[in-house]
Amino acid sequence: MKKVDTGWEPLFMKGSKGQIFVLNLLKNAGYTFEWIQLAPGSEIPYHVHTTDCEWYINEVTGENWFCPQGEGHCFINDTDHPVNLISLRKVM
């Protein structure tokens, strides 16, 4: 998978699989706003948000998820095409 833009950076997370890229759109006053791309077969492993909460939106389907502080989630792209997510995270 090729980087789409020079602002895209690989996302490295312990236990992750495949190719995951992130484009930081905003980092300000306790918030981060990111665009995340998971290549086919990629996985962001289960992790708990101990110091923040996060809201995700699937760019294509509009599905959205909220992960409150103290809870966890993972993302698995089991499709044959890239999946793009928009993420808004607030550090508590």
Side-chain angles (χ1 to χ4, degrees), residues 7-11 21-27 31-36 87 89:
W8 287 86
E9 297 293 331
L11 176 68
F21 292 97
V22 63
L23 178 62
N24 289 304
L25 303 170
L26 171 70
K27 282 188 177 182
Y31 290 91
T32 60
F33 187 50
E34 301 169 325
W35 192 15
I36 301 168
S87 165
R89 183 173 59 219

Side-chain angles (χ1 to χ4, degrees), residues 42-63:
S42 295
E43 178 179 333
I44 295 174
Y46 182 83
H47 58 284
V48 175
H49 288 266
T50 56
T51 61
D52 61 6
C53 61
E54 210 162 20
W55 183 43
Y56 292 94
I57 301 171
N58 181 312
E59 182 183 75
V60 174
T61 67
E63 289 180 276

